[in-house]
Every structure is written in structure tokens, then in C-alpha cells.
Amino acid sequence: MREDAGNEYQGLSIDGIGITVVATQYTYESDSNNNQYDVNAEYPVISNADFADAIENADAGSVVDLASGTFQLPSNSIPAGVTITGAGKENSVLQVNKSSITSNDVTIKNIAIQGSGASGTSGSLNISGNNTTIENVNYKGQAGKIAITVSTGDSNSGTVIKDTKITNAFRGIQFWRLSGNSVIDNCVLDISGYTFNIDAVAPNSTLTVKDSTLNGWTSYTSGIELVTFDNCKFGLHTYEYLRPYSNTVLTDCEFTSAGYQLNAGGSDAYTITLNNCTKNGTAITAGNVVSLLLDTEGWNSNVTLIVNGVTVTV
């Protein structure tokens, strides 16, 4: 405002303008000790040019902090050990276009993600680096396409997706190869096709799904050491179906749609265990599980079904 401004500005407003203020210490400013009190302070990235530069110069342990606004994930690879964080999933948007995470120990968190470019077996975000974490994210994919793919090597200790909602996709999380002890924690996968799907698996791998909502078709391949669901809700999107091909334990889970069904796939010998689960408020027991929950057509006769400690004949 001009120095000679008068009262004619009083009561007026400016609409449609966002202002980001990034401040640092002037050389003549000091606290009780010296003028170095914020020498190591980090300031948020406010432009795509700065974002690309920050990724280019990041190293293990670096945090790239995005301000409010919309950003495009740079085409240059995210270095190992780098965290990209936004100003919250209501404020910062990260656009990914058939993008890749190829380095190890990368984290993306506190942001909304908009996916594009998915085609064929590629998602809008493709993870091949080990020990990747996606946390506190609202992920909007593409209708009819894959949102996130995961294909990692045998040395991976696990891929973690937590506090995340994935919508607007045919496949939410596609594990082309599951490895390590991977986790889906406190997520909502509201998907027109597969909530998550596992196509292949490294030896001794597990998947833990907890405190999550899975609306759609959920299925995974044979050979997984164990898949556990704890305190999860299974419901209707376009589909309402669970088909495991590996050892599975469901504890304190709820099937929330009237038409939801469980079917045992494949021909391998494995066990499906249900503990303290319900369907539409009705407790699932050894006596009612067949009529209440199961799709017995094509049921794998080599599967052992245990409900609350009781083995059930299907």
C-alpha cells in the first residue's frame, strides 16, 4: 500500500489471490546467543522449478517440503532416502503422470495425488524401489486404470501404504510382485474393480491389512506366506467379493453389504480363518458361514476353513 494511502481503502477486499510468505533471518537479527538461530531452517517449495531443483539436489535424509498449491512430480528420479511432504492433503496437490519411484526408502506424505498417464500394466504411480511409504494421501486415479503399481525385488523389507484413500480407478494397488512384509494400514480403497490385487510374490512375503475399508473385488495369488486382515470392512462398489489363493486370517472384520461373498480360489492347500467376524451385524459362525457368506461354486476343495476355532466342511 502507498505511504500516502488514506481511509478510502478501509473495508475493501481482494479476492482470488493467494499469498505465500517465506521468511528467513536477516544477518543483523540475533537471539540471546547470536545471529545463527535459524541457519538450518527449511522453507517450503513454492514453484515447480524449485521442486525440480530440490529433487535434483536432495540426498538421503532430505525432506522436500511443498507449500500449498499444485505441483508436478519432476521427471528426474527421486533420490534414495528422500521424503516429499505437502502442507496437508487439503492444501497441496501432487500430479503424477505414469511416474516412477525407483530409489529405495522414499516417502510421499501429507498431500493429495492426482494420477494420469496410466495405461496397460502401468499405473499413474509405479513403485519399484524398496521400502517405499505412501502416507496420509488422498489419491485420485483414472477411471478404468491402475492407480498404484508395486513391483519390487526379493530384498525389499516391505511397501507401506497408510492413512490413504484411493478412488477413481479400476485397480487401486496392483502388486505385480509382492515382497517383504508389506502393510496397508488405515486406508480406504473404494475401487470399481480390484481394491488391491497381487499377481506374483517373492518367497516368505506377507501382507498385513488393518483398520481399512475395502469396497470392491479383493484377490491375491498363491504362494504368499500369510495375508492378515484386522478390523477391516469389506463392502460394495461395483463388486463385493473376496477371493484368496493363499493362507488368510480375518479377525474382527465386517462384511457390510448384503451380497458380499467369499470364495476360495485355486487348487493349492491353504487355510482361511475367520475370528469374530460379522456380516451386516450378524455374527459369522461355523454353523451359518456357508449360507451367510460363501460362494461355494468352484470352491477349492483343498482349502481348510476355520471359523472361531471350528473347522467347517464346505
Side-chain angles (χ1 to χ4, degrees):
M1 189 178 294
R2 299 194 314 268
E3 292 182 1
D4 62 349
N7 290 333
E8 63 268 23
Y9 289 99
Q10 185 174 355
L12 299 181
S13 64
I14 300 175
D15 296 323
I17 295 178
I19 298 175
T20 300
V21 177
V22 178
T24 188
Q25 172 194 4
Y26 235 115
T27 55
Y28 56 70
E29 294 177 330
S30 298
D31 60 9
S32 58
N33 295 310
N34 54 44
N35 64 355
Q36 299 296 306
Y37 63 86
D38 71 348
V39 65
N40 295 315
E42 297 180 355
Y43 301 99
V45 169
I46 60 174
S47 71
N48 279 305
D50 288 344
F51 189 16
D53 184 64
I55 292 295
E56 181 71 26
N57 292 286
D59 52 21
S62 295
V63 177
V64 178
D65 188 3
L66 303 180
S68 296
T70 299
F71 301 86
Q72 289 82 45
L73 188 67
S75 58
N76 47 322
S77 179
I78 305 170
V82 168
T83 294
I84 298 173
T85 183
K89 52 193 176 185
E90 299 82 13
N91 302 309
S92 301
V93 177
L94 181 64
Q95 296 177 332
V96 298
N97 188 321
K98 202 175 181 179
S99 303
S100 297
I101 298 175
T102 59
S103 300
N104 298 338
D105 306 307
V106 170
T107 297
I108 298 178
K109 65 180 184 179
N110 303 334
I111 202 165
I113 295 180
Q114 294 177 349
S116 62
S119 62
T121 60
S122 294
S124 51
L125 182 64
N126 302 280
I127 298 170
S128 58
N130 294 329
N131 314 319
T132 301
T133 299
I134 306 295
E135 181 178 356
N136 195 32
V137 166
N138 274 349
Y139 197 114
K140 185 177 181 180
Q142 294 170 265
K145 305 294 184 180
I146 304 172
I148 299 173
T149 71
V150 180
S151 184
T152 49
D154 291 357
S155 63
N156 185 22
S157 66
T159 302
V160 175
I161 300 177
K162 63 185 298 185
D163 303 328
T164 289
K165 183 176 183 179
I166 304 177
T167 59
N168 198 45
F170 182 74
R171 296 174 188 258
I173 307 168
Q174 175 64 51
F175 292 90
W176 290 122
R177 183 172 174 82
L178 176 75
S179 55
N181 301 308
S182 295
V183 176
I184 298 172
D185 179 10
N186 193 35
C187 292
V188 175
L189 308 181
D190 194 18
I191 303 298
S192 62
Y194 291 93
T195 60
F196 72 84
N197 181 242
I198 301 172
D199 194 65
V201 59
N204 305 313
S205 298
T206 66
L207 177 66
T208 298
V209 187
K210 56 185 179 180
D211 302 323
S212 294
T213 296
L214 308 171
N215 293 333
W217 187 307
T218 301
S219 185
Y220 39 91
T221 190
S222 61
I224 306 171
E225 185 170 310
L226 181 64
V227 178
T228 59
F229 298 92
D230 295 313
N231 192 37
C232 291
K233 294 182 179 181
F234 298 83
L236 171 67
H237 192 290
T238 304
Y239 299 100
E240 44 188 347
Y241 210 70
L242 172 62
R243 176 175 283 167
Y245 289 73
S246 290
N247 291 323
T248 300
V249 176
L250 300 101
T251 302
D252 298 324
C253 291
E254 180 182 359
F255 300 91
T256 61
S257 57
Y260 205 100
Q261 291 184 302
L262 165 66
N263 177 268
S267 58
D268 291 353
Y270 59 91
T271 300
I272 300 174
T273 302
L274 289 84
N275 298 312
N276 194 36
C277 296
T278 63
K279 183 175 179 181
N280 286 338
T282 299
I284 298 172
T285 67
N288 66 17
V289 65
V290 174
S291 59
L292 186 64
L293 183 63
L294 300 192
D295 172 14
T296 58
E297 184 175 353
W299 181 273
N300 180 355
S301 60
N302 293 316
V303 164
T304 300
L305 176 65
I306 301 173
V307 180
N308 300 330
V310 178
T311 300
V312 176
T313 300
V314 180

